[in-house]
Each structure stands twice: as structure tokens, then as C-alpha cells.
Amino acid sequence: MRAVEAAVGVKIPEVARILRNLLHGAQFQHDHIVHFYHLHALDWVDIVSALKADPKKTATLADNLSKAPWGGTVYFKKVQQRLQTFVDSGQLGPFNNGYWGHPDYRLPPEANLMATSHYIEALRLQAKSAKMHAIFGGKNPHLQTLVVGGITATRDLTPDRIAQFLYIWKETQDFVKDVYIPDILAVASFYKDWGGIGGTTNFLAWGDLPQSRKEPESLFMPRGVIMKRDLKGVKMATQEKVREHVARGWYEKGNDRHPFKGETKPKHGKYNTEGKYSWFKAPRYEGEPCEVGPLARVLVAYAKGKKEIIKVVDTTLKALDIPVGALFSTLGRTAARGLETIVIGDAMEGWIMELVDHVKKGDIKTYQRWEMPESGMGYGLNDVARGALGHWIRIEKKKIKHYQYVVPSTWNLGPRDSNGKLGPVEESLIGTPVADPKRPLEILRTVHSFDPCIACGVHVIDPDSNQVYKIRAV
Amino acid sequence: MKKEKDFYKRLSEKGISRREFMTFCTVLTATMGLSSSFVPKVAEVFAAPRQRPPVVWLHFAECTGCTESVLRTMYPWIDELLLEILSMEYHETIMAAAGHQAEKTLKEAVQKYKGKFICVVEGAIATKYNGAYGKIGGRTFLEIAKDVCPKAAAVICLGTCACFGGIQAAKPNPGGYKGVGEALGTKPVNIPGCPPNPINFVGTVVNYILLGKLPALDELGRPLFAYGKTIHDQCPRRSHFENDEFVTEFGSVEATMGYCLYKMGCRGPETYNNCATVKFHGGTSWPIQAGHPCMGCSEPDFWDKMTPFYEEL
């Protein structure tokens, strides 16, 4: 959308900008909750152990840890009973063959029961939160109201619709603050050594959520790049420095190219870790692999002195009694995801009020007319839940001549480049302690912490036996 | 009766009143196009504690949007669907198992429930180069589908990709992607949409559990209760079409008036789906209500046949 808008030269109206930010903010709230509870929590939480918990002790623990709207002995007894009925049925469904009982599951049964109850509550909450998208987007997933020039949901700019959005936003943000964040802290307190595992070196954020037409200056989550973990050396990031490599991906032979000149010529082949082994290209910034996503955004914002981010990061580091360096890790990545949800979620309230002010004045202009030019070029940079996303377009004779995009999971999960440099996830897995190579729970923790948009293949080599284990993270 | 009493007790413990529950059953029964006399029977499906129907959910070339869509179900809520109604034996996105354990889970489920499980397929199947464009654990999508689908009691294709190939199958289709029916030469149930409405999936499954058979289908394998009429025929903006009241530009006065989107490229007249009546997210909205023309996302080859999207039919 932004790439095409840049290419045709249209600036969207203020109300459209606010609506897009609200939809985008709602996406962060929704995605990050689902990621933590449904795609990542079971790497840390042993759901089977929850059956052994004492509901009364769980209630006390939960009271001390969180401000969840549900709790008490009776509540946790019911959750446990529901789980017991489920297990007794002999049909374990999605929990079949998990790594239950693995020696590195460290939570006591009571914490496991509390987390399990929040897993279930979050399932229901996320369905409600997605309604925010339906209000101004028509449906979720795949919102349909975003068009080049603005947004089509003009008729939904009514008090009742805005109020509906506001209430769902509040219910979601309450969950973030009262349940999600306390849960991250509770889990992290048992896994502090993971503040030294699973880190990478370079971080890129295109930034997003523009507060005016000025980009990148007004981006709420700032743009920047950090090399070699040097927070003080944070720099502005520019798209000219991006190249994509295809040396180790299943593509025809080609040079490293900038997306405006990029080619996508797939050529399938054998899986060969010495040669080609991925459908991903390998994006590089100034020739270096970069991690993208919540951790990159939070680090860039922190390094650039964004007050709201500094506040939540410092509070968290203090609560866990860990140094700033612990952010460069699996634990840091998972925590950063929660922390940016607080900050972005909180800002949404102001945006809703901004929208109300426009509507009050009678400004419901959500679309700017534009003409398709004979030719044009443009790029759009944003930062979505999973990380930095860029689109590049060239228009000729009013048609798409060239289109490339570089998405977050390509940055994170891309293979080695033409210089043999590892991709971020590859780098992050080196040195991970694995207690039982046949059940590599620890590998899942780090891979899942990136929120990969892919079923990915990784290898584990046991240095003692040199046995190669093939592991698939889904 | 005792079982039923137990059920309502369980419901009330979860904070759901009998009345709310019956409302949900009524909505679902109506969506399925069954007469109101079926409402108690639909309730029974959820009430009777019994062995939950096993489901094996395969992911091929897709974006997981259909899974996301089903996660948004409100009739019933997704936690109930997962814990009390179905038994999700294999589902790559939400299952805890990974790697070898995941492969083992699939193998075991297919063996144990041979001829009894519902196979849900999300995503298209690569057929060129022996299926080389799509593999999981070294096996191609095509191999997995040929192995698993024939062993199922029923195959439900969820979403346009599994039904008709979707975006992967759009020209030039380098991997030779096809929908499941075409790739395997079979006739599965097709629930297309990008994404499909979760209520149409739940409706199909309930129909199966309740009546022991699949719902009536059209020639494309789509349940008639959901895909029997065009968007256009059910559209609340239809009177504007009849009155020649059209939107010709987004953001215009006509757009604010909620006029017909036909001239903006609406594909409602050629698209069979029930979006207009059931809407998304418990009746919150749907694309035309939100001011955007229908793209025909549930029709075969819509990326090729319905484009350019913003040109009048």
C-alpha cells in the first residue's frame, strides 16, 4: 500500500492515517498475545504438570503475581477439572506428544496451572480482540478496507462503532497489563539464564505508526539500525543499503541485488546444507545479517531515547534483577514483545481520542483521490508484528513492471549469504544447551521466540556423538 | 437426561446460561439452513459427553489465515471447540509437539482413527516437478495428501487455496499448484473464502456429527447452506443497485450514503457466499458493510478471473 502510494504520489488524509495506526496497533495487541500464549508458552510451561497443582496454592500465587480478573481456589479447581476431564478422555489432541516432563521445564505445578488457565482465557480474549479489525477493516484476518489513497470504512466513523472499538481496546489492554506482562515476569524469573542464550548481533527496525505525514521523523516506533550490539552507535536506517543474496537458496544463480533490481527466479533442488538449503533469500544490511522484530524495535527505541520504552525496559530489568546485556537473548526477545505491546497499546487510547476530535469537527475524510501515472517508483517501509517489512514497486505503462518485498521472517530465517555469513536464527542457535537431543525443547524456545512465519527446518549436532538430529519446529 | 443436566451444569459453571447456549444453537441451525426443529438436536451435539470426533488438519501452501479465522469462532468459542467438541489430533500451528514427535503424532492419529477422522486441509498442493515446491519433513504435500486423505471419513478443504489453488495457483503458477480435489482427483467438501467464515466450517462439522453425513453440496463441492446464493442476492445495498444509486469513488458522498459498489468493481453478482447474512466476528461487519467491494475471494481462480479488482464487471 505504502509502496504504491509513494509511487503514484498520493498522501493519505489524517483520519486515514489514524485509522491505519489503530488497526495496526490492534494487530500488535492481538498477535503478541497469541504468540506468547499459543505459539510460545508451552516451551516454558508444562501443561501436564498443572494436574498436580494445589488449586488453593495456585490462587495465592496468582493473587500475588497478577491482577487477572479471574482467580480464586474455585476457579483454579474448575480449570484443573476441565483439564483432567480432557486428559481422562484419552484424547490429548493438540497436547499429544509434547515434551512433557522434560527436565528443563522449571515451573512448579501451581505456576503451570496458572499459566494453563491464562492460555485458555487468552484463546477467548484473542477472538474478541480481533473484532477491532472487523469494525474498521470488515473482517480479520485479511482486512479489506485498506486501499491506495486511504481506507474505505467511512461509514463506520460513528460514535457507536468508535465506542465499541474503545471498549474492546480496553479489555485487551487490561489483559496485556494485568495478565500477559505479569506472566512474562513470572515465567522469566524461573529462566533467568535464558538472558544469556539465543542472542544475535545486529538489529534493524524500519519503524512504524507515523504521528504525522513526516516520515521517518514522526514514527512512534522509530527507525534505526544497531550493529554489533552497540546501542550507543544506533544509526538511521535507509533502504538503499539492503541487498538480497540467493547463493544458498533455491534460486537461479544471481548477484546480490537491491530489491528495486531484485529477481525471483525459483529453481528447486536437493536439500544440501553445504550448498543450497532454503526457499528463503538472505537479506543483508550493509552486508550484515540483521535480526528484525520486537527486540530490534525495542532496542532501537531504547537506544534512541524513547521515554516510554526506556521506562518499561528499565522497570523490567530491575524487577528481574538482570543487566541490559540480558536483552540480547531469547528471554529478551520474548520480553520485548510484551513490553512494546504495553507501549503501543497505551498510545492507542490517544489515537482513538484523536479520531474522535476529527469526527467531532465533521472531518471524516478517509480517502484521497489519485491518478495512476504512466511510470513511477516507490517503496514502503513498515514494521509489523514480526518485524521490518519492505515493499518496492516500479510502474511502467500504468502497470506493475517490477515488485519485490522483503518480509520479517526472511530477515530472521534466511540462510547463509554469498559470503557464508549465517542468518540471525542460525546464529542464535549456536551454543544452545540441549539436555536431551531427542527432545530438543531448548531449540524450540529460541526458534519460537522469533515468531517465525514458517514451519522451519533446523539441525542439531551433538558434539559428543556427532550425531545429527533433524528437528522440525512447527 | 442426566447427561443433559450435567451439561447445563458445566455450562453455567463456565458462566454460560442455558439461554445463551440455545441462542448459539439457533444461530448455527439457521446458518446451516435446517428448520428450527433441529435446534434441540444441535444442542445435543454439544451436550452429550462422548468421544470427540478426531480431526487431522493438514497445512500445505497457505498463509494460515484459515486457521486464524477458525480461532475467531464465537459459536462456539475456540477453547470449547478444541477442548470439548473436537479432538484436534494434528494441527501444526497449535500443537505442542514438534519435529519427530509431530511426525509421529500424524502417523499415529491416521492409524488409530483410520476411516473415522475428519481431514481438514488448508492450502494448495504443488504438483509440478513431483511436488518439489512444497515439502514437510522431506515428504511432498502431494505424498502426504495421497497418504492421509483417502484414509479419512471425510475431507474438508478449508479456504480458497485448498479448494481451488488460491493465490499459489494464480498465473504463472510456477509450482503447478492445485486445489486438493483436482490434485487428487477426488471430491472433497469445499469451504472456500479468503478466509472462509468460521461459522461455515463449524456448521459443516456439526452437520456431520449431528446427521452422520455431510451437508448437501453444489457441483463445486460447496455446502449449499452457505454457498447457495450470490452475495448480490443477499446484499443489504441491493435496493441501491435497483435504484441506480452507485458509488463511483471511495470517500465520496455516495460512499458515505452506502450506495451500491457495483461500479467500484464489486464481484458480489458472481460470488456465492453468505457473508452478507452471517457477517464476520459475531455479526460485526463484512467487506461491503465496511465500504469495500466484494473481491470474489471464495470463487475458483479469483486472482486471475476477478482482477483487476476495481474495474466494473
Side-chain angles (χ1 to χ4, degrees):
Chain A
M1 201 71 63
R2 286 183 181 173
V4 180
E5 282 166 356
V8 306
V10 62
K11 299 270 186 200
I12 63 170
E14 276 294 280
V15 174
R17 176 186 64 76
I18 297 165
L19 282 172
R20 284 187 186 180
N21 282 351
L22 283 172
L23 291 171
H24 202 152
Q27 182 84 48
F28 275 95
Q29 286 183 308
H30 178 275
D31 269 30
H32 287 357
I33 290 171
V34 170
H35 176 265
F36 180 71
Y37 285 99
H38 308 124
L39 305 176
H40 195 27
L42 300 183
D43 301 335
W44 313 97
V45 173
D46 185 342
I47 210 163
V48 176
S49 139
L51 292 172
K52 288 184 278 187
D54 175 347
K56 202 175 164 191
K57 281 188 193 157
T58 310
T60 313
L61 175 80
D63 278 352
N64 289 336
L65 285 178
S66 77
K67 289 188 279 174
W70 350 266
T73 312
V74 176
Y75 169 81
F76 285 111
K77 227 181 228 171
K78 277 183 195 166
V79 174
Q80 201 178 36
Q81 187 52 51
R82 197 176 177 195
L83 195 62
Q84 189 69 55
T85 309
F86 182 78
V87 172
D88 289 346
S89 75
Q91 294 179 294
L92 285 177
F95 307 124
N96 231 331
N97 290 332
Y99 297 139
W100 316 127
H102 188 285
D104 204 49
Y105 274 126
R106 303 181 198 167
L107 301 186
E110 283 73 24
N112 282 318
L113 178 58
M114 181 186 80
T116 303
S117 78
H118 296 170
Y119 173 101
I120 297 171
E121 298 290 353
L123 272 176
R124 201 169 283 204
L125 187 271
Q126 61 82 28
K128 291 186 202 169
S129 303
K131 258 194 187 186
M132 283 188 275
H133 272 184
I135 293 170
F136 297 125
K139 64 184 162 82
N140 163 290
H142 303 340
L143 322 198
Q144 209 164 305
T145 55
L146 301 167
V147 290
V148 173
I151 188 163
T152 66
T154 323
R155 280 166 62 78
D156 292 299
L157 292 172
T158 57
D160 60 320
R161 286 303 239 191
I162 298 171
Q164 199 183 4
F165 189 99
L166 184 67
Y167 276 93
I168 304 171
W169 162 79
K170 186 170 186 315
E171 190 177 350
T172 309
Q173 191 65 359
D174 284 350
F175 184 94
V176 170
K177 288 183 170 173
D178 296 344
V179 188
Y180 177 20
I181 298 300
D183 281 352
I184 290 179
L185 291 176
V187 171
S189 67
F190 287 92
Y191 293 97
K192 283 189 194 174
D193 53 325
W194 280 80
I197 301 169
T200 66
T201 311
N202 311 313
F203 302 87
L204 171 71
W206 292 136
D208 211 330
L209 303 163
Q211 301 302 294
S212 77
R213 281 184 175 179
K214 276 196 171 172
E215 289 187 41
E217 296 83 355
S218 80
L219 296 175
F220 182 78
M221 291 303 282
R223 181 172 301 171
V225 61
I226 294 168
M227 290 296 183
K228 299 195 166 58
R229 299 190 179 187
D230 175 17
L231 294 179
K232 288 197 181 106
V234 64
K235 285 201 186 85
M236 177 51 72
T238 59
Q239 58 89 26
E240 288 85 354
K241 296 182 175 169
V242 175
R243 297 286 180 278
E244 282 200 298
H245 298 210
V246 293
R248 308 297 291 273
W250 287 310
Y251 294 92
E252 283 179 20
K253 212 174 167 187
N255 298 330
D256 315 337
R257 284 167 180 262
H258 181 270
F260 267 136
K261 294 189 174 156
E263 293 176 338
T264 303
K265 295 182 176 169
K267 192 182 173 199
H268 72 93
K270 285 214 173 82
Y271 179 78
N272 173 14
T273 46
E274 302 302 316
K276 290 175 179 281
Y277 61 98
S278 177
W279 280 113
F280 284 116
K281 295 180 182 176
R284 295 293 181 261
Y285 186 89
E286 286 183 326
E288 297 298 326
C290 291
E291 171 175 350
V292 300
L295 180 57
R297 279 191 294 263
V298 165
L299 288 174
V300 167
Y302 190 85
K304 287 198 156 187
K306 188 173 175 62
K307 278 187 218 140
E308 300 95 318
I309 290 286
I310 291 176
K311 192 178 151 206
V312 290
V313 169
D314 287 348
T315 312
T316 307
L317 293 174
K318 206 175 152 199
L320 290 171
D321 190 22
I322 50 173
V324 178
L327 288 171
F328 300 99
S329 68
T330 298
L331 193 64
R333 198 171 291 122
T334 296
R337 188 171 285 111
L339 297 178
E340 72 168 6
T341 317
I342 308 183
V343 173
I344 294 171
D346 278 353
M348 285 172 71
E349 187 176 15
W351 304 339
I352 297 169
M353 292 311 147
E354 216 183 328
L355 180 67
V356 170
D357 282 343
H358 280 275
V359 174
K360 221 189 253 175
K361 285 186 290 189
D363 175 15
I364 52 163
K365 185 174 164 60
T366 60
Y367 179 78
Q368 178 58 50
R369 182 186 296 181
W370 55 275
E371 298 282 334
M372 181 64 78
E374 250 331 283
S375 64
M377 266 170 95
Y379 60 84
L381 304 176
N382 19 357
D383 237 286
V384 294
R386 287 184 167 109
L389 168 68
H391 282 228
W392 287 260
I393 186 173
R394 221 168 62 226
I395 298 169
E396 264 177 35
K397 293 180 187 160
K398 303 196 175 199
K399 286 190 173 164
I400 301 170
K401 176 71 183 168
H402 181 89
Y403 205 102
Q404 289 281 317
Y405 45 84
V406 184
V407 306
S409 291
T410 312
W411 280 103
N412 287 336
L413 284 117
R416 290 166 178 81
D417 57 32
S418 51
N419 302 315
K421 283 185 185 166
L422 301 177
V425 170
E426 293 179 325
E427 180 197 350
S428 72
L429 290 174
I430 293 172
T432 304
V434 175
D436 175 2
K438 284 185 181 157
R439 297 190 298 162
L441 174 65
E442 298 89 342
I443 298 289
L444 284 188
R445 284 180 184 155
T446 295
V447 174
H448 283 165
S449 73
F450 283 90
D451 192 6
C453 184
I454 186 75
C456 64
V458 289
H459 278 88
V460 180
I461 299 175
D462 180 344
D464 295 329
S465 66
N466 239 0
Q467 188 170 358
V468 178
Y469 295 90
K470 196 175 177 188
I471 298 158
R472 189 163 63 91
V474 291
Chain B
M1 275 313 282
K2 188 183 171 299
K3 275 183 183 171
E4 200 180 315
K5 264 191 191 159
D6 284 351
F7 175 74
Y8 285 116
K9 203 174 141 226
R10 272 202 299 136
L11 271 186
S12 72
E13 280 173 1
K14 282 195 281 174
I16 302 164
S17 71
R18 187 190 164 108
R19 195 184 149 143
E20 281 169 328
F21 179 69
M22 292 314 282
T23 309
F24 140 58
C25 293
T26 310
V27 170
L28 192 59
T29 310
T31 304
M32 287 162 64
L34 299 174
S35 79
S36 58
S37 64
F38 275 95
V39 173
K41 289 197 171 173
V42 170
E44 254 173 51
V45 169
F46 296 100
R50 58 211 287 284
Q51 202 193 22
R52 287 168 284 126
V55 174
V56 170
W57 190 302
L58 301 175
H59 283 84
F60 296 139
E62 43 85 5
C63 71
T64 316
C66 301
T67 287
E68 289 284 351
S69 183
V70 169
L71 286 179
R72 314 287 186 265
T73 173
M74 293 176 168
Y75 304 108
W77 293 98
I78 184 63
D79 55 301
E80 298 167 317
L81 197 67
L82 286 177
L83 297 177
E84 273 102 29
I85 299 170
L86 299 175
S87 182
M88 200 62 79
E89 296 292 325
Y90 181 84
H91 187 300
E92 288 169 9
T93 313
I94 57 165
M95 67 197 288
H100 289 309
Q101 283 79 2
E103 301 299 319
K104 187 174 145 214
T105 305
L106 176 61
K107 211 173 151 191
E108 284 173 355
V110 172
Q111 249 165 23
K112 185 173 171 192
Y113 298 110
K114 197 174 173 186
K116 291 185 187 132
F117 67 90
I118 300 172
C119 179
V120 177
V121 185
E122 183 175 349
I125 297 176
T127 60
K128 247 179 162 174
Y129 316 111
N130 291 321
Y133 268 48
K135 288 182 187 175
I136 300 169
R139 285 205 296 170
T140 64
F141 297 160
L142 194 59
E143 278 174 77
I144 297 169
K146 278 184 181 166
D147 174 26
V148 175
C149 292
K151 293 174 184 154
V155 177
I156 300 175
C157 293
L158 191 64
T160 301
C161 299
C163 297
F164 311 123
I167 190 161
Q168 292 80 206
K171 286 170 194 165
N173 192 1
Y177 286 95
K178 289 177 180 170
V180 175
E182 200 191 339
L184 301 185
T186 56
K187 292 203 162 170
V189 178
N190 284 330
I191 303 181
C194 190
N197 196 312
I199 203 165
N200 294 337
F201 170 70
V202 174
T204 303
V205 171
V206 170
N207 193 103
Y208 182 73
I209 303 172
L210 174 65
L211 305 175
K213 61 177 185 184
L214 295 165
L217 309 173
D218 69 6
E219 73 279 9
L220 292 174
R222 303 177 293 193
L224 283 165
F225 74 78
Y227 301 90
K229 291 182 192 162
T230 63
I231 297 276
H232 193 55
D233 283 343
Q234 305 166 86
C235 186
R237 297 189 180 199
R238 178 64 184 259
S239 60
H240 292 300
F241 175 83
E242 306 297 345
N243 293 338
D244 277 340
E245 292 165 346
F246 295 105
V247 177
T248 53
E249 187 180 55
F250 292 128
S252 62
V253 177
E254 291 76 14
T256 328
M257 303 283 282
Y259 282 3
C260 176
L261 292 161
Y262 182 79
K263 292 192 174 173
M264 297 302 291
C266 186
R267 302 301 187 240
E270 294 189 343
T271 304
Y272 289 83
N273 211 331
N274 58 355
C275 310
T277 51
V278 299
K279 302 188 186 177
F280 288 84
H281 304 273
T284 303
S285 194
W286 65 294
I288 289 178
Q289 180 174 338
H292 194 281
C294 167
M295 298 162 77
C297 75
S298 53
E299 288 298 312
D301 305 320
F302 84 100
W303 289 102
D304 291 329
K305 291 183 179 162
M306 298 292 187
T307 45
F309 289 129
Y310 298 102
E311 270 176 27
E312 188 180 330
L313 268 176

